[in-house]
Amino acid sequence: MTSTVLTTVDREGWWWACPATSVASLSVSAGQRLLAISIAPDAAGRDTFATADALAIHVLGPEQEALADHFARHPTDFDTAQSAHGLRVECGFEAVPLLADVASRLECRRVNVLTVDEKVVLLAKVVRSHPAPLLRQAS
């Protein structure tokens, strides 16, 4: 199973992370990708993601599953994620924290928020994508 972790920064500058329950592509037109990202009803920080201007979507590798579990329990604890899991964090679009060395990463601007069956669904436009280093080298 592949896990997906979302990250964002709140208005006070705190970094937040949480697992996504699903990510789906809604459209690809004129070079623009629109995604629907679902967050569980009980996810800590879901209101932060619902009001954030920008977010990043990180597809984790099989050896990184523990990161999704960590952020599900401790959504603002990037220090332990860095020390215990060897995570490197970079600063991205709109100061959103970016998890380095993941399988794939999409930086997005939130365009709308829906509530469906108590889940928060973020609609976001991709502004930058970063495939895994091996994928970049493939031709």
Side-chain angles (χ1 to χ4, degrees), residues 104-117:
S104 184
R105 181 173 69 210
L106 301 168
E107 294 176 72
C108 303
R109 174 175 303 286
R110 182 186 53 79
V111 295
N112 207 342
V113 180
L114 307 168
T115 303
V116 180
D117 295 331

Side-chain angles (χ1 to χ4, degrees), residues 31-98:
Q32 293 190 19
R33 290 182 282 176
L34 185 64
L35 304 174
I37 305 114
S38 178
I39 301 175
D42 59 345
R46 82 179 201 155
D47 292 338
T48 301
F49 282 91
T51 59
D53 294 329
L55 66 139
I57 303 165
H58 306 84
V59 178
L60 304 180
E63 71 285 355
Q64 297 172 314
E65 294 294 321
L67 280 175
D69 294 336
H70 171 79
F71 284 125
R73 291 187 311 274
H74 311 286
T76 60
D77 185 7
F78 283 76
D79 290 337
T80 301
Q82 289 175 345
S83 62
H85 301 284
L87 177 68
R88 288 185 311 114
V89 181
E90 303 165 352
C91 193
F93 174 72
E94 299 286 338
V96 169
L98 302 176

